[in-house]
Amino acid sequence: MIAEMARFPLSGRAGRLRGTREWVVARTLDVIVYRPARESVVIVGIVHGRQDWPGVLPSDTRYLEKA
């Protein structure tokens, strides 16, 4: 799944935070929040889809802005 994400970084939906994308994990309520990079992706966090998650991401993601 991560390799596919790296090969096709824009295949996830537009993220709730500026500069991120979201990949919904099939058959779960989990969402992988990631930022496309040059030849890879940076995983920002993995959250439960029912969470009010922009507030639960680690504080070192403060460089990301709400979209």
Side-chain angles (χ1 to χ4, degrees), residues 24-53:
V24 179
V25 180
R27 295 182 299 281
T28 73
L29 294 175
D30 294 330
V31 178
I32 300 172
V33 182
Y34 68 98
R35 186 171 44 89
R38 182 159 282 196
E39 293 184 20
S40 64
V41 294
V42 175
I43 304 297
V44 175
I46 301 173
V47 295
H48 190 277
R50 291 189 179 166
Q51 281 182 297
D52 181 19
W53 63 259

